[in-house]
Amino acid sequence: MSIFNQLLKKSSPQQGIVMYYIAAIIVAFLMLNLPFVHKSNVSVDPIDSLFVAVSGVSVTGLTPVNIIDTYTTFGQVVIMLILNLGGIGVMAIGTMLWVVLGKHIGMRERQLIMLDNNKHTMSGTVKLILDIVRTIIIIELVGASLLAFYFYRDNPDIQYAIMQGLFVSVSATTNGGLDITGQSLIPYANDYFVQTIVMFLIMLGSIGFPVLIEVKAYIKNRIPNFRFSLFAKITTVTYFGLFIFGVLIILLFEHNQAFQDMSWHKSLFYALFQSATTRSAGLQTIDVSGFGEGTNIVMGILMFIGSSPSSVGGGIRTTTFAILILFLLNFSNQPEKTSIKAFNREIHITDVQRSFAVFIMASILTFTSMIFILVVENGKVSFLQAFFEVMSAFGTCGLSLGITGDVNDMSKGVLMVLMLIGRVGLISFIIMIGGRREPDKFHYPKERVQIG
């Protein structure tokens, strides 16, 4: 631990965040190898245990093993703890422990909390973390209570009902995507109550903690003349815009294919759930490998966009996508007139530059990973399967076309790196790789270059 502390002191804040997540993965890996975690006569390769650990900490949901067939009830509880560790955030959990133990939270810790939650200032960071943890735990408990009561009504086994309700609630709220049915939520494909509860939990986890806290403040009316922030407005509009877009595309593309001969309400709920899960959840009510190629490509793009910043999900994030679209809509050939406006506010140029940096870096990273997997698998996976798996890993979503357990160790390594980067965030990753540049002491003469 002293070696870790020494490395932490010498590292930049961004490197510190990555180190904390790597440490969390190591702890999760060790937890998954505790006695009584695996069922008797079940052996799991170390690479697969590591994969589940990374998937849990990054709340992705991709897994090369079947959870229900591999892990005992104790092991499933361990997985729920790992999902909460990853979903709420390593720094958030660390802060809670510091508060409980009465440890002083210094400037270094506050800076790491600020970066892990995409805040621009250190003021109020500890209060923010406590609000986030409290909110997520309340959401999980309410969801678990509703689901457990409902499951008990169908199956009067109290242990089964509680465990199933807890696991589904934690997996949905953290957008973890893991399940203990062995078939995700396909057994509940005709149960609209369960689907509706799970969709609400997915949205509450992936729309962004700051949005939830602002909504809570608005409902409680604690702040006179309260106004939602620009972040909350852009996030909410973009999130639900992508959700509705996904529903319409899935309905349109699968109307005469997977949804053929289905009732309108069953098709609608399939489309609603699959669109909601592409934000970052990974749970599914229908085998997505039965969808057409066009639908899976669109779902891959939606997973690439991912969830909102300061949420449980990954991807380039909804605000990045929104700023890129707003830039294109407001683009002018005269630079002095190209300003991005939304909700009577003007977006800072730094955020525009960061959005382009994240998009370009994410595109290079995902397509390089996809090409690498296609090469090392040597024809064992198709282009669409590699594309879908990579986008799912980077977006920390967890949907799969069924190849996760079949790819070789090198491909699993690539997917693990993508899951980690998707959870940590590309801004921290870019700054960690490039480092902080000193301000320029002089400028060269400017010259125009022909574009397009």
Side-chain angles (χ1 to χ4, degrees):
M1 185 58 70
S2 60
I3 296 173
F4 180 80
N5 289 332
Q6 289 296 323
L7 288 172
L8 196 61
K9 288 179 182 178
K10 294 178 181 179
S11 64
S12 68
Q14 288 76 19
Q15 291 169 334
I17 288 292
V18 175
M19 287 174 62
Y20 265 111
Y21 272 95
I22 291 174
I25 289 168
I26 294 171
V27 170
F29 175 75
L30 295 174
M31 289 171 67
L32 288 173
N33 285 280
L34 289 171
F36 311 114
V37 164
H38 300 120
K39 289 186 174 180
S40 57
N41 301 321
V42 172
S43 78
V44 181
D45 289 338
I47 185 69
D48 290 336
S49 287
L50 179 61
F51 196 99
V52 174
V54 175
S55 184
V57 171
S58 64
V59 285
T60 301
L62 289 173
T63 171
V65 298
N66 191 306
I67 302 298
I68 186 65
D69 295 334
T70 306
Y71 297 99
T72 62
T73 301
F74 173 65
Q76 293 165 16
V77 171
V78 168
I79 290 174
M80 282 194 286
L81 292 174
I82 294 170
L83 288 175
N84 270 315
L85 174 65
I88 297 173
V90 172
M91 293 310 304
I93 297 296
T95 302
M96 281 293 295
L97 291 174
W98 288 330
V99 171
V100 170
L101 297 173
K103 183 182 182 298
H104 173 68
I105 301 175
M107 290 295 291
R108 176 70 173 183
E109 288 85 0
R110 291 175 188 270
Q111 192 175 29
L112 292 173
I113 295 168
M114 177 190 75
L115 287 169
D116 197 27
N117 289 276
N118 293 304
K119 278 179 66 68
H120 300 293
T121 63
M122 283 188 283
S123 62
T125 48
V126 176
K127 183 179 181 300
L128 170 68
I129 290 301
L130 296 178
D131 275 345
I132 288 171
V133 174
R134 195 182 304 116
T135 301
I136 291 298
I137 290 175
I138 290 172
I139 291 170
E140 287 180 350
L141 289 177
V142 171
S145 301
L146 290 171
L147 291 168
F149 178 79
Y150 189 80
F151 293 146
Y152 181 75
R153 193 191 69 171
D154 288 345
N155 185 353
D157 181 342
I158 189 69
Q159 182 180 347
Y160 166 83
I162 292 174
M163 192 63 195
Q164 183 76 350
L166 272 172
F167 203 97
V168 172
S169 181
V170 169
S171 185
T173 306
T174 62
N175 282 209
L178 296 173
D179 67 272
I180 55 173
T181 66
Q183 304 176 69
S184 194
L185 290 182
I186 292 176
Y188 304 100
N190 297 314
D191 196 322
Y192 300 154
F193 176 82
V194 171
Q195 290 182 46
T196 301
I197 295 296
V198 172
M199 280 192 285
F200 271 113
L201 293 175
I202 289 170
M203 290 176 180
L204 290 172
S206 59
I207 201 167
F209 302 135
V211 176
L212 297 181
I213 292 169
E214 286 191 33
V215 170
K216 186 171 73 170
Y218 175 77
I219 293 172
K220 289 187 174 182
N221 199 22
R222 293 185 301 184
I223 304 172
N225 301 318
F226 179 85
R227 293 181 62 182
F228 286 103
S229 66
L230 179 62
F231 169 82
K233 292 175 181 177
I234 290 178
T235 296
T236 305
V237 170
T238 307
Y239 186 98
F240 286 105
L242 288 169
F243 171 66
I244 293 169
F245 172 78
V247 172
L248 294 176
I249 287 295
I250 294 171
L251 281 173
L252 178 65
F253 286 8
E254 297 302 320
H255 176 68
N256 290 320
Q257 296 188 58
F259 297 162
Q260 194 173 20
D261 300 327
M262 284 187 187
S263 61
W264 67 267
H265 48 84
K266 188 170 185 178
S267 299
L268 177 62
F269 265 87
Y270 272 142
L272 286 169
F273 197 94
Q274 264 51 241
S275 180
T277 203
T278 55
R279 287 282 61 72
S280 190
L283 295 168
Q284 55 188 351
T285 55
I286 188 172
D287 187 356
V288 294
S289 62
F291 283 164
E293 291 187 357
T295 306
N296 281 327
I297 288 172
V298 172
M299 289 178 68
I301 293 170
L302 290 173
M303 291 189 291
F304 175 76
I305 296 170
S307 62
S308 302
S310 299
S311 72
V312 297
I316 64 171
R317 308 303 206 271
T318 52
T319 47
T320 301
F321 176 74
I323 290 174
L324 293 174
I325 296 299
L326 288 170
F327 177 84
L328 293 175
L329 293 175
N330 288 275
F331 179 76
S332 170
N333 197 37
Q334 299 174 355
E336 64 277 3
K337 292 184 179 180
T338 303
S339 59
I340 301 179
K341 303 177 183 68
F343 300 103
N344 300 318
R345 291 289 187 273
E346 195 167 307
I347 296 172
H348 201 284
I349 187 63
T350 302
D351 294 327
V352 179
Q353 292 171 341
R354 285 189 168 194
S355 296
F356 274 95
V358 166
F359 175 73
I360 293 169
M361 187 69 182
S363 299
I364 294 171
L365 183 67
T366 52
F367 279 95
T368 302
S369 301
M370 186 173 61
I371 292 168
F372 179 85
I373 289 174
L374 287 170
V375 170
V376 298
E377 293 299 328
N378 194 24
K380 293 179 182 177
V381 300
S382 67
F383 178 87
L384 179 62
Q385 288 174 324
F387 169 82
F388 199 88
E389 204 81 4
V390 164
M391 295 306 176
S392 181
F394 174 72
T396 68
C397 185
L399 291 175
S400 175
L401 296 181
I403 65 167
T404 311
D406 299 327
V407 295
N408 62 37
D409 291 350
M410 288 190 291
S411 296
K412 288 177 182 176
V414 169
L415 294 174
M416 284 190 281
V417 171
L418 286 171
M419 289 189 283
L420 176 61
I421 293 172
R423 182 64 187 94
V424 171
L426 264 173
I427 288 293
S428 293
F429 182 72
I430 291 169
I431 294 175
M432 183 191 76
I433 298 297
R436 291 193 176 276
R437 293 176 56 187
E438 292 294 325
D440 291 333
K441 295 182 174 60
F442 59 90
H443 293 279
Y444 291 107
K446 293 180 181 178
E447 186 173 341
R448 300 296 300 273
V449 177
Q450 293 180 6
I451 301 295

